[in-house]
Structure formats: C-alpha cells, structure tokens
C-alpha cells in the first residue's frame, strides 16, 4: 500500500532551468508600468504563451479602450482592484486574489482601469488559441478569490488557478490546455509538482528567494522568469528564511505559424490584414465597437 502511494510522489525527470530573464519595468498603456518577461524582444513567444506582464497601475493611469483577437488574457490580481468594461456591456471589478480568464476569440474591445486608491498590482498572461479556436465567440470565466481552490501540505500552499495540484482542481476550462499554479513555500519546504511531459512551462518569482530545478543551483529572486526544459515536473526548494512565492505555468504548445500585430494574433498575414480590416470597418465580431466608448473615453493606440 505504502509503496503504491510512494510511487506517485517524486518525478522521473525533473525539468531544469534553461533560461533566466529579469523583467525590468517599462511603460505600457497610458501611464502604466509593466515588467514584461514573455513578449519582449529577446523572448517573443514561448508557445503557447504570448505575453507575461507583472503590472502596476495608479489612477489616472490604465489600459483604456483597446481590442484583442485570436488569444486569451488571464488577469490575476495581487493588490488593489481593476475594473474592466467591454463593448458588449460586460463589466466588473476584480480585487486581490481574483482571476479573470477572458477568451477574446474573434474579438473583444474593452478597457482595464484602476478601481481603487493606491497602486493596483497583478499579472496578465496572454495565451494563444489554436487556429480552430481563434474565431470563437468571446467568453469570460471569472473566479473570485474565495472560490479559488487552495491546498496546503508540508509547508507548501498552492492556489489552483488552472489545472490541478495537491489533489485540488480548478473549475476553469482552458481552450489551450494550461496549468496555472500560485505557490507559497515556507522556509525549508521542498516541492515536487508534476507537469505533462510534452508541455512548455515556466516559473515567475513574485516574492522571496527560491532554488529551482537542481538543489545546488543558485537562488532566484523576484521579477525573474525561468524557462524550464524537458522533463515531467518541477522541483523547487525554499532554503531561505523568508516566504517564497512564485507562479508555475505550463501549456501544451500549439506548434502553429504565428503572425502578430499588437493585440491581434493570427496564423497568417492574410488573417492579420483581414483583422485590421474588420476592426476598422466594425465587421466579423467588431460590430459593437462602432458606437461604444468606455467611461474613460480614451483609446489606447497600439
Ligand atoms: C494592450 C498595450 C497594452 N499588459 N497588463 C497594447 F498595454 C495593452 C494592455 C495590457 C494590459 C492590461 C492589464 Cl489590466 C494588465 C497589461 C498589457 O491592455 F492590450 C495593447 N494592445
Ligand atoms: Fe486588454
């Protein structure tokens, strides 16, 4: 019995860190600051992930009216609150620990603006959609912090935003198969988290200092992105005296051609030309953009 339980713990081939990036602050939107790791010049794309921004916005800064097509945006709030408002009348505010999983599909035009005093902080991840899903109807999945599954074991706490960890499953449906886990490790904790073999996966450190991949590797601190190589899971250690917090995100690569023009991500140049045409002429999913402006009344250039 014991053997059977033990055989499921432990990894055959832990993933190693193959590249490391420090995400430095840069200006985005209107007066907002983002630390962009995926999506910057040196790392255009990590299939299926297009962008990872750690954002910081203080009113009157924000991300006023702008479009998306061909992918999903996942906004995970760490501090403060953001109000989103789209051209179809969908509106809401997400606060600390809340997640908005937005499938833009054929088209969304929306604004994302601060909803509280002080600085709003969070993560925004852009996940590509496969060619067969790029033009689907837009869809939102919103989970408030209290409904996000949490599990705790041996000094490890995980919040399961997508996928499964420590026996806890997320209700989020991922069109592009994805896992998104928010880990906090107490000093001395050691994590072994399975990841499907064929998936691409990365770690982004939010707080503290962690050891990833190999127990003898050097510690990594906040605002660093770590790309993981082949293997069946992640091993991580907190050998420091403070809490370690990081996200682990993995996804099945689409292995499709990609042509991106700002917030439009398609497979071919023809599809991008068509998308610009659709956006300018309010067609094929952008109909409602013709008469819509958010409360901010501003438009984001891209
Ligand atoms: C966008 C410029 C942008 N990262 N993180 C151009 F800034 C944006 C954009 C965001 C964004 C929004 C939030 Cl709430 C958090 C972000 C970029 O909105 F979509 C385009 N096209
Ligand atoms: Fe957006």
């Amino acid at each position: 019995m014991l053997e059977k339980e033990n055989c499921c713990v432990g990894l055959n081939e832990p993933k190693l860190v193959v590249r490391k990036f420090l995400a430095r602050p840069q200006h985005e939107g209107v007066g907002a600051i983002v630390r962009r790791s995926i999506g910057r010049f040196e790392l255009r794309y990590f299939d299926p992930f297009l962008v990872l921004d750690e954002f910081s916005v203080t009113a009157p800064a924000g991300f006023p009216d702008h479009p998306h097509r061909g992918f999903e945006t996942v906004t995970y709030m760490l501090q403060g609150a953001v109000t989103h408002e789209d051209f179809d009348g969908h509106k809401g505010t997400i606060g600390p620990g809340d997640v908005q999983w937005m499938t833009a599909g054929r088209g969304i035009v929306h604004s994302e603006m601060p909803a509280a005093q002080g600085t709003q902080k969070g993560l925004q991840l852009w996940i590509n959609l496969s060619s067969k899903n790029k033009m689907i109807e837009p869809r939102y999945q919103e989970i408030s912090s209290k409904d996000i599954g949490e599990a705790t074991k041996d000094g490890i706490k995980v919040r399961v935003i997508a996928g499964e960890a420590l026996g806890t499953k997320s209700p989020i449906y991922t069109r592009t198969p994805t896992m998104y886990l928010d880990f906090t490790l107490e000093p001395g904790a050691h994590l072994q988290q399975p990841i499907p073999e064929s998936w691409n996966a990365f770690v982004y450190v939010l707080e503290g200092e962690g050891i990833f991949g190999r127990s003898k590797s050097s510690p990594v601190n906040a605002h660093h992105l770590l790309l993981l190589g082949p293997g069946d899971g992640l091993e991580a250690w907190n050998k420091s005296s403070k809490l370690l917090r990081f996200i682990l995100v993995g996804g099945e690569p689409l292995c499709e051609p990609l042509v991106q023009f700002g917030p439009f991500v398609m497979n071919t140049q023809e599809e991008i030309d068509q998308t610009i045409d659709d956006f300018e002429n309010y067609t094929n999913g952008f109909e409602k953009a013709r008469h819509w402006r958010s409360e901010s009344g501003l438009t984001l250039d891209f």
Side-chain angles (χ1 to χ4, degrees):
M1 287 299 277
L2 263 178
E3 253 169 49
K4 186 156 193 220
E5 273 176 26
N6 284 336
C7 81
C8 305
V9 183
L11 307 168
N12 285 323
E13 194 203 350
K15 287 175 172 287
L16 300 181
V17 175
V18 292
R19 289 174 81 184
K20 174 176 146 179
F21 297 88
L22 170 62
R24 290 198 180 81
Q26 65 186 61
H27 293 273
E28 259 304 347
V30 176
I33 290 174
V34 303
R35 291 176 179 266
R36 180 161 297 170
S37 44
I38 300 170
R40 61 202 250 174
F41 177 77
E42 307 93 304
L43 182 58
R44 270 269 148 259
Y45 186 44
F46 185 52
D47 193 2
F49 305 109
L50 294 154
V51 166
L52 179 66
D53 279 353
E54 182 185 357
F55 63 88
S56 182
V57 266
T58 310
F63 303 95
D65 311 10
H66 62 277
H68 295 279
R69 174 183 279 181
F71 58 98
E72 305 189 289
T73 66
V74 179
T75 309
Y76 182 36
M77 293 304 299
L78 299 173
Q79 175 192 309
V82 164
T83 294
H84 59 89
E85 189 185 341
D86 84 2
F87 67 166
D88 198 22
H90 185 91
K91 189 174 174 176
T93 298
I94 50 172
D98 298 348
V99 177
Q100 183 198 58
W101 198 290
M102 182 184 89
T103 307
R106 66 211 293 254
I108 285 275
V109 181
H110 71 167
S111 71
E112 295 153 288
M113 302 298 285
Q117 297 292 312
T119 305
Q120 338 299 316
K121 291 186 179 188
L123 297 168
Q124 192 171 88
L125 176 69
W126 293 12
I127 308 173
N128 202 2
L129 286 167
S130 72
S131 57
K132 68 173 194 296
N133 288 325
K134 283 189 179 293
M135 292 298 281
I136 59 176
E137 282 299 308
R139 174 186 181 191
Y140 291 91
Q141 298 176 84
E142 276 147 346
I143 345 182
S144 67
S145 186
K146 64 175 184 346
D147 297 326
I148 292 178
E150 274 190 22
T152 308
K153 193 181 181 230
D154 301 334
I156 298 166
K157 184 183 95 172
V158 64
R159 306 190 81 227
V160 184
I161 293 159
E164 182 178 356
L166 297 178
T168 297
K169 271 200 181 96
S170 162
I172 292 277
Y173 175 67
T174 61
R175 287 258 162 206
T176 302
T178 302
M179 62 191 282
Y180 191 140
L181 306 172
D182 172 6
F183 282 106
T184 303
L185 270 62
E186 283 175 12
H190 171 207
L191 168 75
Q192 289 181 305
Q193 171 61 43
I195 303 168
E197 287 258 16
S198 59
W199 288 19
N200 282 331
F202 65 84
V203 162
Y204 187 80
V205 182
L206 294 171
E207 182 190 327
E209 217 176 63
I211 312 253
F212 299 92
R214 234 194 279 274
S215 79
K216 298 231 155 61
S217 57
S218 24
V220 180
N221 56 21
H223 316 302
H224 282 89
L225 176 85
L226 306 175
L227 298 190
L228 305 175
D232 62 352
L234 173 72
E235 274 201 276
W237 294 261
N238 182 359
K239 298 187 180 180
S240 79
S241 58
K242 295 192 179 120
L243 287 182
L244 163 66
R245 186 174 181 196
F246 62 90
I247 58 162
L248 169 63
V249 177
E252 184 172 71
L254 301 171
C255 306
E256 290 180 4
L258 177 136
V259 183
Q260 176 167 6
F261 179 69
F264 304 139
V265 181
M266 303 300 285
N267 297 107
T268 66
Q269 186 58 48
E270 288 66 36
E271 289 166 349
I272 286 291
D273 294 343
Q274 181 64 51
T275 300
I276 294 167
D277 200 78
D278 288 341
F279 182 62
E280 287 178 348
N281 297 298
Y282 311 108
T283 51
N284 290 315
F286 289 115
E287 288 80 358
K288 288 176 173 151
R290 185 188 289 273
H291 300 293
W292 180 81
R293 298 287 177 278
S294 74
E295 273 171 24
S296 79
L298 300 170
T299 300
L300 191 56
D301 291 324
F302 56 87

